[in-house]
Amino acid sequence: MPIETAIHNAYMSARGSMAKMLSRLVPPKEVDDILQDTYVRLCQAKSTEHIKEPKSFLFKTAKNLAYDHLKRADTRMVDDSTEAAAALESAISGVDDETYHNNATQQEFKLFCDAVRALPKQCRRAFVLKKVYGYSLKEIAQELSISEKTVEKHIAEGIKRCTLFMRRHTGEQTRHNNLTNNGQQHSERV
């Protein structure tokens, strides 16, 4: 059996398993697109001689496409803010305080809202329609009377700007807290 047929058959038999694996990595509405991109990548491959295990190759391709998607998506921004909150929380002498956690979460949300407000108008509209209301690229393009490609650019720009805004302001807050804590420690020693 030619390798192309083996890859096609492996794709058809592994599609359900790949969808399940992808659903643990990306939002459910993105799974079909990534599966489709996986198949397109396989069809576009110039050479398939190096593929010894088609099913393994499919899973690896799908996983890599999912990771690429995450890099472009706001999921990474959410993960970064969650990690920052966890690091900040653990830095406070291991105190596990629910009030502190709730306050930190509210501050992060306020910071994110400020970041979104700072976006240019058209970029902000596309970003909010996608990330808050879950519109598809096509629906946003129709709503804003722009192309889907322009919608993609606005969303990517929104993610980039919000991430930078939050990192910059989180860094400023951390420096402020460090200065405050160092000042308190210094006055306690005196």
Side-chain angles (χ1 to χ4, degrees), residues 2-4 7 45-53 57:
I3 191 70
E4 290 84 7
I7 290 174
K46 292 180 179 162
S47 170
T48 55
E49 291 95 31
H50 66 284
I51 301 172
K52 303 293 183 224
E53 296 290 331
F57 182 79

Side-chain angles (χ1 to χ4, degrees), residues 46-142:
K46 292 180 179 162
S47 170
T48 55
E49 291 95 31
H50 66 284
I51 301 172
K52 303 293 183 224
E53 296 290 331
K55 190 171 182 179
S56 177
F57 182 79
L58 284 166
F59 274 85
K60 185 69 171 172
T61 302
K63 188 181 279 190
N64 286 341
L65 287 170
Y67 289 146
D68 288 346
H69 171 78
L70 291 174
K71 287 177 188 172
R72 293 187 307 265
D74 70 321
T75 305
R76 181 169 179 113
M77 183 174 54
V78 171
D79 287 344
D80 286 348
S81 65
T82 303
E83 289 173 13
L88 186 60
E89 202 166 3
S90 67
I92 300 184
S93 332
V95 175
D96 189 16
D97 185 312
E98 187 174 333
T99 305
Y100 168 77
H101 177 70
N102 290 340
N103 188 32
T105 303
Q106 289 171 355
Q107 287 175 349
E108 286 176 7
F109 181 70
K110 181 188 177 308
L111 186 60
F112 176 72
C113 290
D114 291 344
V116 172
R117 280 189 210 102
L119 294 174
K121 184 179 180 181
Q122 192 77 333
C123 178
R124 181 177 61 238
R125 291 178 71 202
F127 184 82
V128 169
L129 288 173
K130 177 69 176 169
K131 301 303 177 188
V132 176
Y133 296 105
Y135 281 33
S136 70
L137 296 179
K138 186 176 182 178
E139 291 169 327
I140 297 169
Q142 290 172 345

Side-chain angles (χ1 to χ4, degrees), residues 165-188:
F165 183 97
M166 292 184 71
R167 284 183 181 160
R168 185 172 53 247
H169 287 80
T170 302
E172 289 172 8
Q173 186 63 40
T174 302
R175 282 191 300 278
H176 172 72
N177 290 343
N178 287 340
L179 289 173
T180 304
N181 289 340
N182 288 340
Q184 287 175 348
Q185 290 171 355
H186 179 70
S187 65
E188 288 172 1

Side-chain angles (χ1 to χ4, degrees), residues 34-51:
I34 293 172
L35 284 172
Q36 197 171 38
D37 287 346
T38 301
Y39 191 75
V40 168
R41 286 273 173 101
L42 294 173
C43 291
Q44 291 175 341
K46 292 180 179 162
S47 170
T48 55
E49 291 95 31
H50 66 284
I51 301 172

